[in-house]
Amino acid sequence: MTNDPANKPRAGAGRPAHLGLAVLLAAIGFALLAPTRIDIAIILREVMQGIGVASLAAAGLISTATLLGDGVVEIFFGHISDRWSRGRTLALGIALFSLFSILTAAASTLPVLYLMRILLGVGQAIFIPAYFAFVGGVYGRRRGLLLGSLGGMFTIGLALNPLMTRAMFQATGAWQTPFIAYGVFGLALALCIYVVGRGKSRIYETRLHELPPPPDAHPQSRTAWLTNRNMLLLLVTMAFWGLTQYGFIGIFVTYLRTAQHFTLGEAAGVASIAGWSAFVFSFIAGYLSDHIGRRWSLLIFGMVALVFAAPLFVLPQTFLSAAILASIFQAANGTFYPMGIAYGQDFARAESLGAHTGAVSGVGHLAAGVAGLIAGSIAAQFGYATLGWFFVAASIVMVVTIACTRDPRFHKMKTS
């Protein structure tokens, strides 16, 4: 605790067990985003065969179409989550994306499949800003570590998703099984979050430590923060993060299976190892960003991702080399998401965390929604090596735009 007047106990501060349960349930919900969003990429060939689709570009869009609904709605819903009950927002979001996960299994044509995946993304867009506003608002001084570690729950979902999705598909022989299983689990989880968040405690509004507003927070204007130089540069960065991260996630398993002739088990194993690596690294990234600043941390991670972007698709791969390269790239590139949100929240007043989160996350996810189509089109027309160099170019943009930002929170903390 500090002596800042804004640093005062809020709802839920006196009930650590209740707060711990609330965090756990919400974190599991965030981990569930990955299987419900990315499961289709693991068995993409089987889904394509099941609905009669042969185009690699169309298949790539299927794997990331969820992000289209996610990105558009998330940009606006973050503002709403600041003004509505956060617990109810979390429960509603999980319930909706779980429902449309189940309905994905009923799709028999490409247009219906697109619709279900986009609507699944709408449910995730309701959940995500409220989740990060809750986590980022609990203890502002260690926001990077909290968002890095609890944001890393998504990478747990990424790591478990290939193994669970493959196991459920192979056990039943039906590509629909994983979509139903994840959806049913999500509906039960939504009910638990709603029950925990009920009552006068307002547990999902808890703030144990609240940072003072930055000098350029523009409290007199509801929209001025969107034209802030730092925010504009950060939004550009996140757009290119969406293209690279989801271009990689959406197409890499298919690349290993088609171009490198990996079995489904081998390709899923590489994806799982990369997911676990990203999760472990998220703790390091969050801790580092709290101590050297968001800007310098992202510059370091961006340079690492830049170095390893091309070898992913240019060099011949063995299981070991693919696992190493994918792990390093996903860990370095993937950390732009939680750390980018933390950076965006650093520019915000405490009552506007959801709006800043929604803008940063929404722009990234909106670009991610077409990442599969772009990656698939490049690979189909020019080859996978060209796709690797596209990742290099996008990574350069990310590094340059972050380098042009300023980190007012870090400099203020260093001089205070």
Side-chain angles (χ1 to χ4, degrees), residues 175-188:
W175 63 263
Q176 295 90 343
T177 304
F179 303 103
I180 297 173
Y182 295 136
V184 171
F185 175 77
L187 291 176

Side-chain angles (χ1 to χ4, degrees), residues 251-264:
I251 208 71
F252 193 63
V253 169
T254 301
Y255 158 71
L256 292 177
R257 296 179 68 186
T258 56
Q260 299 294 329
H261 308 295
F262 281 35
T263 65
L264 175 58

Side-chain angles (χ1 to χ4, degrees), residues 123-177:
Q124 294 192 351
I126 294 172
F127 174 84
I128 292 171
Y131 175 74
F132 278 114
F134 163 53
V135 173
V138 170
Y139 197 78
R141 186 174 292 277
R142 292 292 176 260
R143 175 177 290 154
L145 180 59
L146 284 171
L147 291 184
S149 56
L150 292 173
M153 291 296 294
F154 184 82
T155 61
I156 288 185
L158 282 179
L160 293 177
N161 167 48
L163 305 180
M164 294 190 301
T165 297
R166 176 174 65 92
M168 284 186 278
F169 166 70
Q170 292 181 338
T172 63
W175 63 263
Q176 295 90 343
T177 304

